[in-house]
Amino acid sequence: MTAESYSAFYIRRLHSLLGIIPIGVFFCEHVLTNSLAFFEGPEKFNQAVLFLQGLPFVRFLEIFLIGIPILLHAVLGLIIWWNSRCNPQEYGYMRNWLHFLQRWTGIAALVFIVVHVWGMRISWTFHSEIDHVDFAYVSQVFSHSLLIPFYVIGVACSSFHFANGLWNFLITWGIAVGERSQRNLLALCGIVGIVVFCGFMFSLAAFVAPGA
Ligand code: HEM
Ligand code: HEM
């Protein structure tokens, strides 16, 4: 291996690892916390947010375990994309299509996350009377009805990106080796993606129509 291909190898491995640890772990925690709004009600959601915001070194964790890893994964993803070719029509296999979609849903996730984090995490910090978000705040954000289709599409792309990314991760790291185990794990990751998408959609319904 040349020095250049060594660094390309490690860049891809770092990119892959970041997609699951810590980003994928945060993603799963995030759907669980938000879906409390639907399954347990506003009070439980508020308690969960308070608990998370009360964690020691929470700002440090937000920056170093969420913000920087997402930024690094996004930048490395764009570099990998720039440096390699992906043309599904040329081959036509399902894997090529999944790879093609993996890349485009990464871009969609980037747009979604920028808008979402601005609205839910950054914009209110300029108002000194708000200490942290709660159910009422999130519900009021969704009074802008155009945000609802934006969220449905953004969450669908992010859930696909996570689920198919998880499957790629299992292959990249040698966990899914044989053809049969790869096929079974593809089905399992598909189920994970659907569950995560539904969890976010239930939470969206709770915020959009509180008390319904
Ligand atoms: C912030 C915007 C994001 C961008 C621009 C992005 C970009 C990408 C790209 C381009 C790939 C494919 C790389 C290749 O061609 O091999 C990829 C793979 C992946 N992404 Fe993302 N991504 C983003 C967000 C996320 C999020 C939020 C998650 C987790 C919830 C995630 C998890 C993964 C995983 C697990 C992989 C597969 C890694 C592997 O092949 O082993 N990404 N990402
Ligand atoms: C219906 C869907 C969603 C809802 C209702 C929602 C809600 C929220 C809320 C209320 C916050 C602020 C949390 C706080 O300040 O403690 C937040 C932050 C955040 N969300 Fe979401 N979210 C959704 C989907 C997503 C998705 C799909 C992603 C990833 C692709 C995502 C990524 C983030 C990130 C990165 C933050 C900032 C985390 C932090 O700094 O603590 N969210 N979200």
Side-chain angles (χ1 to χ4, degrees), residues 4-27:
E4 205 178 313
S5 53
Y6 256 125
S7 59
F9 174 82
Y10 285 112
I11 284 175
R12 284 196 97 113
R13 282 297 166 111
L14 175 64
H15 175 257
S16 167
L17 188 63
L18 287 171
I20 300 297
I21 303 165
I23 308 172
V25 174
F26 161 75
F27 194 68

mmCIF file of all heavy atoms in Angstrom, residues 4-27:
data_model
loop_
_atom_site.group_PDB
_atom_site.id
_atom_site.type_symbol
_atom_site.label_atom_id
_atom_site.label_comp_id
_atom_site.label_asym_id
_atom_site.label_seq_id
_atom_site.Cartn_x
_atom_site.Cartn_y
_atom_site.Cartn_z
ATOM 1 N N GLU A 4 -0.430 7.154 0.295
ATOM 2 C CA GLU A 4 -1.712 7.799 -0.040
ATOM 3 C C GLU A 4 -2.895 6.854 0.189
ATOM 4 O O GLU A 4 -3.906 7.233 0.753
ATOM 5 C CB GLU A 4 -1.668 8.235 -1.500
ATOM 6 C CG GLU A 4 -2.601 9.389 -1.789
ATOM 7 C CD GLU A 4 -2.486 9.817 -3.246
ATOM 8 O OE1 GLU A 4 -1.330 9.964 -3.718
ATOM 9 O OE2 GLU A 4 -3.526 9.930 -3.873
ATOM 10 N N SER A 5 -2.717 5.574 -0.234
ATOM 11 C CA SER A 5 -3.843 4.657 -0.060
ATOM 12 C C SER A 5 -4.019 4.275 1.415
ATOM 13 O O SER A 5 -5.119 3.964 1.837
ATOM 14 C CB SER A 5 -3.721 3.436 -0.959
ATOM 15 O OG SER A 5 -2.494 2.827 -0.797
ATOM 16 N N TYR A 6 -2.909 4.307 2.198
ATOM 17 C CA TYR A 6 -3.018 4.101 3.647
ATOM 18 C C TYR A 6 -3.917 5.164 4.249
ATOM 19 O O TYR A 6 -4.847 4.879 4.983
ATOM 20 C CB TYR A 6 -1.631 4.235 4.312
ATOM 21 C CG TYR A 6 -1.025 2.918 4.702
ATOM 22 C CD1 TYR A 6 0.242 2.557 4.258
ATOM 23 C CD2 TYR A 6 -1.727 2.042 5.538
ATOM 24 C CE1 TYR A 6 0.804 1.346 4.602
ATOM 25 C CE2 TYR A 6 -1.168 0.828 5.895
ATOM 26 C CZ TYR A 6 0.099 0.486 5.422
ATOM 27 O OH TYR A 6 0.644 -0.711 5.765
ATOM 28 N N SER A 7 -3.634 6.448 3.899
ATOM 29 C CA SER A 7 -4.424 7.519 4.521
ATOM 30 C C SER A 7 -5.870 7.451 4.036
ATOM 31 O O SER A 7 -6.787 7.662 4.823
ATOM 32 C CB SER A 7 -3.801 8.889 4.309
ATOM 33 O OG SER A 7 -3.688 9.131 2.937
ATOM 34 N N ALA A 8 -6.090 7.085 2.752
ATOM 35 C CA ALA A 8 -7.472 6.956 2.261
ATOM 36 C C ALA A 8 -8.202 5.868 3.058
ATOM 37 O O ALA A 8 -9.370 6.031 3.421
ATOM 38 C CB ALA A 8 -7.474 6.626 0.781
ATOM 39 N N PHE A 9 -7.496 4.767 3.353
ATOM 40 C CA PHE A 9 -8.089 3.659 4.114
ATOM 41 C C PHE A 9 -8.515 4.139 5.504
ATOM 42 O O PHE A 9 -9.649 3.911 5.935
ATOM 43 C CB PHE A 9 -7.068 2.516 4.230
ATOM 44 C CG PHE A 9 -7.514 1.389 5.103
ATOM 45 C CD1 PHE A 9 -8.366 0.407 4.609
ATOM 46 C CD2 PHE A 9 -7.097 1.307 6.426
ATOM 47 C CE1 PHE A 9 -8.791 -0.642 5.421
ATOM 48 C CE2 PHE A 9 -7.519 0.267 7.258
ATOM 49 C CZ PHE A 9 -8.365 -0.713 6.745
ATOM 50 N N TYR A 10 -7.621 4.852 6.198
ATOM 51 C CA TYR A 10 -7.937 5.287 7.560
ATOM 52 C C TYR A 10 -9.024 6.370 7.569
ATOM 53 O O TYR A 10 -9.836 6.429 8.484
ATOM 54 C CB TYR A 10 -6.669 5.734 8.306
ATOM 55 C CG TYR A 10 -5.854 4.527 8.711
ATOM 56 C CD1 TYR A 10 -4.619 4.262 8.141
ATOM 57 C CD2 TYR A 10 -6.375 3.613 9.629
ATOM 58 C CE1 TYR A 10 -3.902 3.126 8.480
ATOM 59 C CE2 TYR A 10 -5.671 2.473 9.980
ATOM 60 C CZ TYR A 10 -4.430 2.225 9.405
ATOM 61 O OH TYR A 10 -3.744 1.092 9.744
ATOM 62 N N ILE A 11 -9.032 7.207 6.542
ATOM 63 C CA ILE A 11 -10.081 8.236 6.452
ATOM 64 C C ILE A 11 -11.447 7.564 6.320
ATOM 65 O O ILE A 11 -12.411 7.899 6.994
ATOM 66 C CB ILE A 11 -9.801 9.207 5.273
ATOM 67 C CG1 ILE A 11 -8.689 10.176 5.669
ATOM 68 C CG2 ILE A 11 -11.060 9.988 4.874
ATOM 69 C CD1 ILE A 11 -8.237 11.100 4.574
ATOM 70 N N ARG A 12 -11.515 6.525 5.469
ATOM 71 C CA ARG A 12 -12.791 5.809 5.275
ATOM 72 C C ARG A 12 -13.227 5.101 6.543
ATOM 73 O O ARG A 12 -14.397 5.081 6.891
ATOM 74 C CB ARG A 12 -12.654 4.773 4.142
ATOM 75 C CG ARG A 12 -12.658 5.404 2.766
ATOM 76 C CD ARG A 12 -12.914 4.359 1.711
ATOM 77 N NE ARG A 12 -14.318 4.347 1.352
ATOM 78 C CZ ARG A 12 -14.797 4.703 0.155
ATOM 79 N NH1 ARG A 12 -13.974 5.073 -0.788
ATOM 80 N NH2 ARG A 12 -16.079 4.680 -0.090
ATOM 81 N N ARG A 13 -12.238 4.520 7.255
ATOM 82 C CA ARG A 13 -12.575 3.819 8.496
ATOM 83 C C ARG A 13 -13.079 4.800 9.563
ATOM 84 O O ARG A 13 -14.031 4.523 10.277
ATOM 85 C CB ARG A 13 -11.340 3.062 9.031
ATOM 86 C CG ARG A 13 -11.079 1.767 8.297
ATOM 87 C CD ARG A 13 -12.267 0.840 8.520
ATOM 88 N NE ARG A 13 -12.266 -0.277 7.620
ATOM 89 C CZ ARG A 13 -12.049 -1.542 7.999
ATOM 90 N NH1 ARG A 13 -11.809 -1.827 9.237
ATOM 91 N NH2 ARG A 13 -12.102 -2.507 7.117
ATOM 92 N N LEU A 14 -12.417 5.960 9.647
ATOM 93 C CA LEU A 14 -12.829 6.964 10.626
ATOM 94 C C LEU A 14 -14.242 7.452 10.300
ATOM 95 O O LEU A 14 -15.104 7.559 11.177
ATOM 96 C CB LEU A 14 -11.836 8.145 10.616
ATOM 97 C CG LEU A 14 -12.203 9.341 11.511
ATOM 98 C CD1 LEU A 14 -12.202 8.927 12.977
ATOM 99 C CD2 LEU A 14 -11.212 10.504 11.310
ATOM 100 N N HIS A 15 -14.468 7.707 9.009
ATOM 101 C CA HIS A 15 -15.783 8.171 8.555
ATOM 102 C C HIS A 15 -16.870 7.151 8.911
ATOM 103 O O HIS A 15 -17.932 7.484 9.420
ATOM 104 C CB HIS A 15 -15.710 8.399 7.042
ATOM 105 C CG HIS A 15 -17.013 8.761 6.422
ATOM 106 N ND1 HIS A 15 -17.765 7.857 5.697
ATOM 107 C CD2 HIS A 15 -17.714 9.902 6.431
ATOM 108 C CE1 HIS A 15 -18.869 8.450 5.301
ATOM 109 N NE2 HIS A 15 -18.858 9.698 5.708
ATOM 110 N N SER A 16 -16.574 5.879 8.661
ATOM 111 C CA SER A 16 -17.507 4.800 8.922
ATOM 112 C C SER A 16 -17.802 4.686 10.423
ATOM 113 O O SER A 16 -18.964 4.623 10.833
ATOM 114 C CB SER A 16 -16.893 3.502 8.384
ATOM 115 O OG SER A 16 -17.582 2.398 8.845
ATOM 116 N N LEU A 17 -16.730 4.716 11.240
ATOM 117 C CA LEU A 17 -16.898 4.584 12.691
ATOM 118 C C LEU A 17 -17.729 5.734 13.251
ATOM 119 O O LEU A 17 -18.655 5.521 14.048
ATOM 120 C CB LEU A 17 -15.518 4.537 13.359
ATOM 121 C CG LEU A 17 -15.519 4.212 14.850
ATOM 122 C CD1 LEU A 17 -16.074 2.822 15.090
ATOM 123 C CD2 LEU A 17 -14.103 4.300 15.416
ATOM 124 N N LEU A 18 -17.426 6.956 12.799
ATOM 125 C CA LEU A 18 -18.164 8.128 13.304
ATOM 126 C C LEU A 18 -19.660 8.014 13.008
ATOM 127 O O LEU A 18 -20.487 8.448 13.811
ATOM 128 C CB LEU A 18 -17.630 9.417 12.650
ATOM 129 C CG LEU A 18 -16.268 9.911 13.125
ATOM 130 C CD1 LEU A 18 -15.789 11.063 12.238
ATOM 131 C CD2 LEU A 18 -16.329 10.352 14.582
ATOM 132 N N GLY A 19 -20.007 7.386 11.865
ATOM 133 C CA GLY A 19 -21.419 7.248 11.498
ATOM 134 C C GLY A 19 -22.207 6.450 12.528
ATOM 135 O O GLY A 19 -23.403 6.663 12.708
ATOM 136 N N ILE A 20 -21.518 5.509 13.227
ATOM 137 C CA ILE A 20 -22.207 4.684 14.238
ATOM 138 C C ILE A 20 -21.889 5.172 15.653
ATOM 139 O O ILE A 20 -22.778 5.341 16.477
ATOM 140 C CB ILE A 20 -21.809 3.189 14.094
ATOM 141 C CG1 ILE A 20 -22.187 2.676 12.704
ATOM 142 C CG2 ILE A 20 -22.446 2.334 15.178
ATOM 143 C CD1 ILE A 20 -23.691 2.702 12.399
ATOM 144 N N ILE A 21 -20.575 5.374 15.918
ATOM 145 C CA ILE A 21 -20.166 5.860 17.242
ATOM 146 C C ILE A 21 -19.440 7.180 17.045
ATOM 147 O O ILE A 21 -18.386 7.179 16.400
ATOM 148 C CB ILE A 21 -19.228 4.862 17.964
ATOM 149 C CG1 ILE A 21 -19.924 3.497 18.082
ATOM 150 C CG2 ILE A 21 -18.831 5.380 19.341
ATOM 151 C CD1 ILE A 21 -18.957 2.390 18.446
ATOM 152 N N PRO A 22 -19.960 8.284 17.466
ATOM 153 C CA PRO A 22 -21.121 8.447 18.339
ATOM 154 C C PRO A 22 -22.420 8.837 17.618
ATOM 155 O O PRO A 22 -23.457 8.868 18.256
ATOM 156 C CB PRO A 22 -20.683 9.609 19.239
ATOM 157 C CG PRO A 22 -19.855 10.464 18.331
ATOM 158 C CD PRO A 22 -19.181 9.534 17.345
ATOM 159 N N ILE A 23 -22.388 9.105 16.287
ATOM 160 C CA ILE A 23 -23.573 9.725 15.665
ATOM 161 C C ILE A 23 -24.796 8.793 15.707
ATOM 162 O O ILE A 23 -25.884 9.197 16.100
ATOM 163 C CB ILE A 23 -23.298 10.184 14.208
ATOM 164 C CG1 ILE A 23 -22.052 11.065 14.136
ATOM 165 C CG2 ILE A 23 -24.492 10.965 13.667
ATOM 166 C CD1 ILE A 23 -21.601 11.404 12.718
ATOM 167 N N GLY A 24 -24.594 7.522 15.302
ATOM 168 C CA GLY A 24 -25.718 6.573 15.293
ATOM 169 C C GLY A 24 -26.285 6.368 16.696
ATOM 170 O O GLY A 24 -27.505 6.247 16.870
ATOM 171 N N VAL A 25 -25.388 6.346 17.713
ATOM 172 C CA VAL A 25 -25.847 6.165 19.097
ATOM 173 C C VAL A 25 -26.704 7.364 19.505
ATOM 174 O O VAL A 25 -27.797 7.216 20.069
ATOM 175 C CB VAL A 25 -24.630 5.987 20.056
ATOM 176 C CG1 VAL A 25 -25.080 5.953 21.506
ATOM 177 C CG2 VAL A 25 -23.852 4.733 19.686
ATOM 178 N N PHE A 26 -26.219 8.575 19.166
ATOM 179 C CA PHE A 26 -27.014 9.782 19.463
ATOM 180 C C PHE A 26 -28.372 9.720 18.752
ATOM 181 O O PHE A 26 -29.414 10.041 19.324
ATOM 182 C CB PHE A 26 -26.247 11.053 19.039
ATOM 183 C CG PHE A 26 -27.156 12.252 18.888
ATOM 184 C CD1 PHE A 26 -27.661 12.903 20.002
ATOM 185 C CD2 PHE A 26 -27.546 12.695 17.621
ATOM 186 C CE1 PHE A 26 -28.543 13.978 19.871
ATOM 187 C CE2 PHE A 26 -28.428 13.759 17.484
ATOM 188 C CZ PHE A 26 -28.925 14.411 18.607
ATOM 189 N N PHE A 27 -28.348 9.286 17.492
ATOM 190 C CA PHE A 27 -29.570 9.208 16.674
ATOM 191 C C PHE A 27 -30.623 8.324 17.370
ATOM 192 O O PHE A 27 -31.800 8.685 17.449
ATOM 193 C CB PHE A 27 -29.158 8.616 15.329
ATOM 194 C CG PHE A 27 -30.182 8.744 14.238
ATOM 195 C CD1 PHE A 27 -30.507 9.975 13.697
ATOM 196 C CD2 PHE A 27 -30.792 7.619 13.717
ATOM 197 C CE1 PHE A 27 -31.435 10.081 12.669
ATOM 198 C CE2 PHE A 27 -31.709 7.717 12.687
ATOM 199 C CZ PHE A 27 -32.025 8.956 12.161
#
